Amino acid sequence: MSSDVSSIAAASYGLMTSEAETDFVHHIALFAALLCACIVIGHLLEESRWINESITALAIGLGTGIVILLTSGGKSSHVLEFKQEFFFIYLLPPIIFNAGFQVKKKQFFQNFTTISSFGAIGTLISFAVISFGATRLFPKLGIGYLDTKDYLALGAIFSATDSVCTLQVLNQEETPLLYSLVFGEGVVNDATSVVLFNAITKFDLSDMNTVIAIKFAGNFLSLFVFSTFLGVLVGLLCSFTIRTLYFGRNSTDREVSLMILMAYLSYVLAEVFGLSGILTVFFCGIVMSHYAWHNVTINSQVTTKHAFATMSFISEIFIFMYVGMDALDVEKWKFVNDSPRKSFGASAVLLGLMMVGRACSVFPISLISNLTTKSNANKIEFKQQVTVWWSGLMRGAVSVALAYKKFTGSDEQTMQPANALLITSTIIVVLFSTVVFGLLTKPIIKFLLPRSSHTQPSSPNSIMMPLMGNRQVVEETGEDETLTTTTSNLHMLFNNPTNTIHYYWRKFDDAFMRPLFGGRGFVSYVTGTREVALV
């Protein structure tokens, strides 16, 4: 009886194994040991900065898969098998939430226009290039049995970038603008790709025409807006609750638990309402780091910061190690055994389209950004543009999870040849881009951005100088110069829209939001003291 209950419980959590319960426990132990090996080996290789944990996890997964494949007589390459829901319910939320929680908000919002252009508009351009290119090139490889939704899903899946390798090489202090662009674009790109994917899977695109295209665009925008709103709402609710009740006076465990649970609650609520949980949890992370994190005690700040980073780290190496094992999955390769050329051909086509789509988005957007930017310090040099282009060529956890969700199918469905082909192609692309492009990242970045030519960090006040100067003029001239001041403000708004909006947002935030929801330097309702947060 207990064995049946354990099996049902295991199945309900997305864990499946054909072995007995004792073997299942042994497999869990082996998988945990492999994760520990990834961490240890990654630490030993850290100083070289050539191989990160993602490459280490892929290599260990491949090696383990080969051993299991040989010892099982070619029957399986997995220690454990997981349902596709497992990736989206348990593994992706910590990765995306931590991206929002750890984002450098000052750099992110000061460069918001450029970052959002790269992350949102650039993703849409890449999506269009990959989808259109696949519809034209796949039939030439004999892959003509995919429908419109499959091609669009491929565009969304391979538009999701993974810039971890590039961020490990870049120095935030030496290249603050470039680092913020690469990091900010990465998180916005992930959110946009997932929203695109959700809109595609939930929309009937069998008979595409202008009306359906407009409805699809409306569905995409509504998903984006409502998902963002829900994430902000849950983040503000958590911040208000912690600020008002001040759990830390009795137990730091409660406030830490509340932050973790409400972060996950935002994701689950979005899924319940049919929204994008990934986008919701991302903005929830930004809001919590801006308000809630400053309302907890110093000990809780340290705990939550490292807890979220740890959960994200484990989830990511878990996914990459599983992909390494799944690359040798016998069942999937049986379907493409007769024509492996198709799988490798599709992978090559997708890699080429990724590079072309990336170029079509990065360089034109950079050109427009430079033309609209007055300050030379904030303009993106050509070598920096190439760095941004290269940083988006790797594919990682988000692409893998989206591909499994779309093409693996449910338990009642058997693996179809077309789905098997696309899964194997996705695995090949992820393996090649992560390992090959990842290993080339350090020498390429060092060649493009030698230390002597790194951009020095600008003064913290430099971005606000036009606004601060204008404010001083207003104070000196008085009310008689109201018209001049208004004209000057409008002039600044058109010349530096992002900086001006950021300035007025800070004024609104300090006057209305922080007194209600808390934040750095604001007085606690309960203790009556001014909280001093970690920087």
Side-chain angles (χ1 to χ4, degrees):
M1 178 68 179
S2 61
S3 177
D4 294 336
V5 172
S6 299
S7 299
I8 293 173
S12 66
Y13 283 95
L15 301 172
M16 301 180 293
T17 178
S18 59
E19 304 293 332
E21 184 180 355
T22 54
D23 291 333
F24 173 75
V25 175
H26 294 163
H27 292 165
I28 288 287
L30 177 58
F31 211 97
L34 292 173
L35 289 174
C36 293
C38 287
I39 296 173
V40 172
I41 297 174
H43 172 72
L44 295 175
L45 298 174
E46 182 179 14
E47 289 193 5
S48 70
R49 301 180 96 179
W50 281 73
I51 302 178
N52 61 2
E53 281 81 6
S54 300
I55 299 176
T56 304
L58 279 173
I60 291 179
L62 279 170
T64 305
I66 292 172
V67 172
I68 296 174
L69 197 64
L70 294 175
T71 55
S72 65
K75 294 180 181 179
S76 175
S77 64
H78 293 93
V79 176
L80 292 170
E81 293 184 22
F82 298 92
K83 295 179 182 179
Q84 50 91 3
E85 289 87 357
F86 181 79
F87 292 91
F88 264 79
I89 295 176
Y90 299 106
L91 297 181
L92 269 188
I95 296 174
I96 303 300
F97 177 83
N98 185 64
F101 192 78
Q102 302 287 354
V103 70
K104 305 296 182 183
K105 295 179 290 298
K106 183 176 180 179
Q107 287 286 345
F108 182 84
F109 287 105
Q110 285 177 350
N111 300 297
F112 183 75
T113 302
T114 307
I115 288 173
S116 59
S117 297
F118 280 130
I121 300 175
T123 301
L124 293 175
I125 294 173
S126 180
F127 160 76
V129 170
I130 294 173
S131 299
F132 179 78
T135 59
R136 293 293 182 267
L137 297 177
F138 272 29
K140 295 183 178 180
L141 297 174
I143 310 173
Y145 38 78
L146 302 179
D147 57 25
T148 302
K149 183 173 287 190
D150 290 331
Y151 287 119
L152 294 177
L154 281 175
I157 290 169
F158 290 101
S159 295
T161 65
D162 184 7
S163 55
V164 172
C165 290
T166 306
L167 290 173
Q168 286 184 329
V169 177
L170 290 176
N171 188 310
Q172 187 173 3
E173 298 301 323
E174 294 175 346
T175 55
L177 173 63
L178 183 59
Y179 190 95
S180 66
L181 289 179
V182 173
F183 181 85
E185 188 233 355
V187 292
V188 176
N189 165 273
D190 287 343
T192 306
S193 299
V194 173
V195 173
L196 257 179
F197 181 84
N198 288 342
I200 291 167
T201 55
K202 295 177 181 179
F203 210 74
D204 184 12
L205 301 170
S206 56
D207 186 20
M208 179 64 75
N209 53 48
T210 305
V211 176
I212 291 179
I214 294 174
K215 289 182 178 179
F216 173 75
N219 187 38
F220 169 76
L221 291 175
S222 64
L223 267 176
F224 206 100
V225 172
F226 287 117
S227 299
T228 301
F229 175 77
L230 180 60
V232 172
L233 183 65
V234 174
L236 291 177
L237 178 61
C238 177
S239 305
F240 181 78
T241 303
I242 293 176
R243 176 169 170 76
T244 304
L245 301 181
Y246 194 71
F247 294 96
R249 62 183 173 181
N250 296 320
S251 171
T252 58
D253 296 338
R254 289 173 183 159
E255 57 188 6
V256 172
S257 301
L258 185 66
M259 287 185 69
I260 294 175
L261 290 174
M262 291 201 72
Y264 191 69
L265 177 64
S266 68
Y267 179 86
V268 176
L269 283 176
E271 294 298 316
V272 168
F273 294 134
L275 302 174
S276 171
I278 297 300
L279 189 64
T280 298
V281 80
F282 170 68
F283 277 97
C284 182
I286 291 180
V287 173
M288 279 193 181
S289 69
H290 189 62
Y291 297 112
W293 190 73
H294 295 284
N295 296 336
V296 300
T297 61
I298 300 296
N299 289 336
S300 296
Q301 288 180 351
V302 175
T303 302
T304 52
K305 188 173 184 178
H306 290 288
F308 291 134
T310 300
M311 289 188 288
S312 172
F313 175 75
I314 293 175
S315 298
E316 191 153 355
I317 62 173
F318 190 108
I319 290 178
F320 276 105
M321 191 166 68
Y322 187 81
V323 169
M325 295 181 186
D326 205 44
L328 303 173
D329 184 42
V330 178
E331 295 300 321
K332 295 183 180 69
W333 284 105
K334 280 182 179 178
F335 287 102
V336 296
N337 188 39
D338 296 334
S339 55
R341 180 181 62 85
K342 288 184 179 180
S343 182
F344 286 99
S347 303
V349 167
L350 290 170
L351 280 168
L353 291 173
M354 283 162 39
M355 299 177 76
V356 173
R358 187 75 183 153
C360 290
S361 62
V362 170
F363 297 112
I365 291 175
S366 298
L367 176 62
I368 296 173
S369 176
N370 289 339
L371 291 175
T372 56
T373 301
K374 300 293 183 180
S375 172
N376 290 329
N378 291 329
K379 290 188 176 182
I380 310 171
E381 300 175 358
F382 180 73
K383 290 184 177 181
Q384 293 178 327
Q385 295 176 30
V386 176
T387 303
V388 174
W389 171 76
W390 180 266
S391 69
L393 295 182
M394 277 71 82
R395 295 298 178 265
V398 176
S399 294
V400 171
L402 292 176
Y404 281 154
K405 184 174 183 179
K406 171 63 179 174
F407 301 119
T408 299
S410 62
D411 294 337
E412 293 78 15
Q413 296 175 335
T414 58
M415 176 67 70
Q416 299 298 319
N419 291 348
L421 172 69
L422 296 175
I423 285 289
T424 54
S425 299
T426 301
I427 292 172
I428 292 172
V429 170
V430 171
L431 284 172
F432 184 88
S433 64
T434 302
V435 176
V436 178
F437 292 163
L439 289 174
L440 292 174
T441 296
K442 182 177 180 179
I444 288 178
I445 299 301
K446 293 300 180 182
F447 172 76
L448 292 172
L449 304 171
R451 183 172 296 274
S452 59
S453 64
H454 277 168
T455 303
Q456 295 300 319
S458 57
S459 169
N461 296 325
S462 62
I463 198 166
M464 299 298 294
M465 285 304 292
L467 301 173
M468 298 299 291
N470 180 72
R471 187 173 68 177
Q472 293 170 356
V473 171
V474 174
E475 291 174 354
E476 292 172 2
T477 55
E479 296 179 359
D480 295 336
E481 300 296 332
T482 304
L483 181 61
T484 304
T485 303
T486 303
T487 304
S488 179
N489 285 338
L490 290 174
H491 178 71
M492 287 188 302
L493 178 61
F494 288 113
N495 283 341
N496 299 285
T498 303
N499 299 350
T500 308
I501 293 171
H502 179 261
Y503 169 71
Y504 284 111
W505 157 250
R506 287 300 300 270
K507 291 186 65 175
F508 174 79
D509 191 32
D510 291 341
F512 300 102
M513 299 296 288
R514 290 191 180 189
L516 182 62
F517 299 106
R520 181 182 301 170
F522 278 79
V523 177
S524 168
Y525 291 153
V526 177
T527 64
T529 59
R530 186 173 295 275
E531 302 297 328
V532 180
L534 294 175
V535 178

